[in-house]
Amino acid sequence: MLETMKAVGLYRYLPIEHPESLLDVEISKPSAAGRDVLVRVKAVAVNPVDYKVRSPKEKVEKEPKILGWDVAGIVEEAGPDCTLFQTGDEVYYAGDITRQGGNSEFQLVDERIVGKKPKSLDFAQAAALPLTTITAYEALFDRMNISRNPDENKNRTILIIGAAGGVGSIAIQLAKRVGLTVIGTASRPESVAWAKEHGADHTINHYEEFVPQLKPLGFETVHYILCLNTTEKHWENMSKSIAPQGKICSIVETEVPLNLNVLKNKSATFVWELMFTRSMFQTEDMIEQHRLLNEVADLIDNQAIKTTLNKRLTPINAENLREAHSLLERGTTIGKIVLEHF
């Protein structure tokens, strides 16, 4: 008889207010093969990618579609080709958007995109980190090629748009560690406080023009911009405030074409970051996500970086996940929302 497991999934893509937008379901428990590990899920975090995948469309699924791309748990079984993990290891990871997500009691994931869970964090604190950490790390160091040497970053600035969100909270910390002056955008007292608590040197309001706010802080332009919110809305402000030969990276798809000509005279760079690229295309350097998650776990255990968890929900079920999606869709979330325990 096939073993089953609890999960939260969907058959139809519906507004989050609809009671069938996310459902409690029972599905077959998978087993590990190749380089996959089977993880017993202890905690999951929610991200904008969850509601973007779930957003209303005509498609109907024959089998439940499982969302969730931020997990902390324990390796239940390791495939025969695994070399990085074994049964009993505590892990954290974001997973692969082309496969079933982590909103289930067990999940299969390629070990090359899995990291060792920080020892100093509980499972919920750890689950808050993988997707945002990989996104921020790749954006800073792989896409914008920011130096890891603090001496090379003296007097260099980064503007992080949406600094109090999940990615922003970790990007501030990583940028500060390599010596950058960090300016975050935040519009409410609580988001300003959160950004500064996580290391931002200055904050400006993203609802106002950037340059007039940067000048009183002593900056004519900034060397790097990380856009974590509504790329097209901030495009004009970004193009005006980026330094000659500066670099802009965005993680948010645009609704309208961007006018790249505004960057030409400055010889400025624009680049995308999607943390699922490596797993989606099975790139040769896929294991870099394993390495960076391990590096960040060590930084956390050495108290150089802290978790960005801000809200816990218990248990992991459809009702709580609908609440989490609804909170995220409002666009005012600070830090990360995590669910724990089935």
Side-chain angles (χ1 to χ4, degrees):
M1 186 174 171
L2 282 176
E3 274 194 86
T4 62
M5 62 178 180
K6 293 178 184 176
V8 178
L10 61 85
Y11 291 95
R12 295 188 294 154
Y13 295 83
L14 300 163
I16 198 60
E17 298 78 22
H18 196 291
E20 293 181 17
S21 57
L22 292 169
L23 297 165
D24 293 307
V25 296
E26 287 267 340
I27 59 174
S28 298
K29 177 185 172 184
S31 56
R35 294 201 73 173
D36 278 351
V37 288
L38 180 68
V39 176
R40 179 185 291 272
V41 175
K42 303 290 281 185
V44 295
V46 290
N47 295 282
V49 65
D50 294 67
Y51 71 72
K52 288 176 182 177
V53 172
R54 197 217 73 246
S55 63
K57 55 183 79 72
E58 291 300 315
K59 186 177 180 184
V60 177
E61 302 288 350
K62 291 180 180 177
E63 300 294 327
K65 169 78 173 174
I66 311 300
L67 309 177
W69 292 280
D70 246 346
V71 176
I74 303 170
V75 174
E76 180 91 353
E77 179 189 358
D81 300 329
C82 288
T83 59
L84 304 174
F85 296 102
Q86 58 190 12
T87 301
D89 287 344
E90 296 186 350
V91 295
Y92 75 145
Y93 57 90
D96 178 345
I97 200 167
T98 68
R99 304 178 70 175
Q100 291 280 52
N103 295 339
S104 54
E105 285 187 280
F106 298 91
Q107 184 190 16
L108 286 176
V109 60
D110 190 306
E111 67 167 357
R112 288 171 290 179
I113 56 174
V114 175
K116 62 178 183 181
K117 182 183 81 67
K119 294 185 179 69
S120 56
L121 300 185
D122 64 27
F123 287 102
Q125 292 168 325
L129 289 165
L131 184 144
T132 51
T133 295
I134 295 169
T135 301
Y137 191 110
E138 290 183 348
L140 297 176
F141 305 123
D142 294 343
R143 310 298 170 231
M144 293 193 284
N145 295 310
I146 294 171
S147 172
R148 308 290 292 280
N149 182 351
D151 291 336
E152 293 182 20
N153 291 325
K154 281 181 181 174
N155 304 317
R156 297 187 78 78
T157 48
I158 184 167
L159 176 63
I160 299 175
I161 299 171
V167 178
S169 303
I170 196 76
I172 291 171
Q173 298 180 71
L174 291 173
K176 283 295 292 180
R177 273 198 56 76
V178 298
L180 291 169
T181 296
V182 178
I183 305 156
T185 78
S187 61
R188 293 170 292 145
E190 57 269 36
S191 52
V192 168
W194 179 272
K196 289 189 172 177
E197 182 189 328
H198 285 76
D201 297 290
H202 310 280
T203 61
I204 64 173
N205 190 325
H206 40 243
Y207 292 115
E208 299 172 16
E209 286 189 43
F210 292 177
V211 172
Q213 296 181 83
L214 290 170
K215 283 184 177 178
L217 301 175
F219 310 109
E220 291 292 322
T221 55
V222 292
H223 299 91
Y224 306 102
I225 298 176
L226 177 55
C227 182
L228 309 175
N229 180 276
T230 326
T231 305
E232 67 270 20
K233 185 173 88 175
H234 300 298
W235 186 246
E236 184 178 351
N237 270 319
M238 289 194 286
S239 65
K240 289 178 179 177
S241 53
I242 193 66
Q245 303 183 94
K247 295 179 181 179
I248 301 170
C249 178
S250 179
I251 69 166
V252 187
E253 62 275 20
T254 72
E255 300 297 322
V256 297
L258 299 177
N259 177 16
L260 291 175
N261 290 332
V262 295
L263 303 182
K264 183 177 185 296
N265 287 352
K266 289 184 175 180
S267 298
T269 298
F270 175 70
V271 64
W272 292 110
E273 158 60 16
L274 177 68
M275 61 124 304
F276 292 118
T277 296
R278 282 172 160 146
S279 56
M280 187 184 294
F281 294 99
Q282 296 282 296
T283 61
E284 290 181 4
D285 65 350
M286 199 163 116
I287 201 168
E288 288 303 316
Q289 292 193 345
H290 164 73
R291 292 176 181 142
L292 78 84
L293 285 171
N294 283 352
E295 179 186 333
V296 171
D298 289 337
L299 289 173
I300 288 164
D301 288 339
N302 291 324
Q303 297 184 319
I305 285 178
K306 58 186 175 182
T307 182
T308 55
L309 168 64
N310 196 32
K311 185 177 181 67
R312 293 179 192 246
L313 297 173
T314 303
I316 303 169
N317 63 15
E319 182 183 359
N320 280 331
L321 276 164
R322 286 196 297 269
E323 179 186 346
H325 278 230
S326 181
L327 288 169
L328 269 189
E329 286 186 12
R330 291 175 205 164
T332 56
T333 306
I334 296 173
K336 292 295 291 288
I337 304 168
V338 177
L339 291 83
E340 53 188 337
H341 312 307
F342 272 95

